[in-house]
Amino acid sequence: MGVLVELGEVLRSAPGMNAPAEAVAAWYERKAVLFEHVAAEGGPDASSATTLAQQAHRHAFELLTEVA
């Protein structure tokens, strides 16, 4: 899947304001995977994309930790 198509899917699947933490965490994981794909393609934004992926994974983990 192309990164632009994946970006569109991630944007369209953003959870609503009242979504449960599990749904929001799953969306952040999906967002992290998108950033990992951007990083894998290389280019000038690869380093930033890697950092953003790590932040998204961490945020998803924190959301799930708060629920537990």
Side-chain angles (χ1 to χ4, degrees), residues 15-56:
M17 291 187 64
N18 295 321
E22 292 86 355
V24 177
W27 183 79
Y28 271 95
E29 283 297 336
R30 190 170 184 188
K31 186 176 173 181
V33 170
L34 168 64
F35 284 128
E36 289 169 350
H37 292 161
V38 171
E41 292 207 356
D45 297 325
S47 178
S48 295
T50 297
T51 300
L52 290 170
Q54 292 167 345
Q55 290 173 348

